[in-house]
């Protein structure tokens, strides 16, 4: 398994979330929660779901504010 630096993962996640309309503050908060969940070893609720959250925001299923 390839390892990713936490800072790189956060930067990627924040940029991806901002690209679908989140403010920088909300994107950073969301990325922090997802990455913290990953570091706890709960892979079912972390960055694994980032793509799904983005798809839902693009479809109007989640509020992107």
């Amino acid at each position: 398994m390839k390892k990713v630096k936490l800072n790189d993962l956060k930067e990627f996640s924040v940029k991806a979330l901002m690209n679908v309309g989140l403010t920088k503050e909300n994107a950073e908060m969301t990325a922090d929660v997802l990455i913290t969940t990953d570091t706890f070893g709960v892979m079912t609720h972390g960055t694994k779901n980032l793509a799904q959250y983005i798809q839902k925001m693009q479809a109007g299923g989640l509020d992107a504010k």
Side-chain angles (χ1 to χ4, degrees):
M1 179 184 299
K2 185 176 180 178
K3 293 184 179 184
V4 177
K5 293 179 183 178
L6 291 178
N7 288 340
D8 293 342
L9 181 58
K10 181 174 180 179
E11 183 179 331
F12 173 83
S13 299
V14 168
K15 286 181 182 178
L17 291 163
M18 288 177 65
N19 282 338
V20 291
L22 262 66
T23 64
K24 183 174 182 177
E25 180 182 9
N26 286 342
E28 287 178 347
M29 186 181 335
T30 302
D32 283 339
V33 169
L34 295 175
I35 292 166
T36 299
T37 303
D38 287 348
T39 64
F40 287 164
V42 185
M43 301 309 199
T44 57
H45 290 77
T47 55
K48 169 188 169 198
N49 295 313
L50 181 61
Q52 289 176 303
Y53 295 146
I54 289 171
Q55 288 173 347
K56 288 181 180 183
M57 282 185 257
Q58 289 173 325
L62 291 174
D63 187 5
K65 294 179 183 171

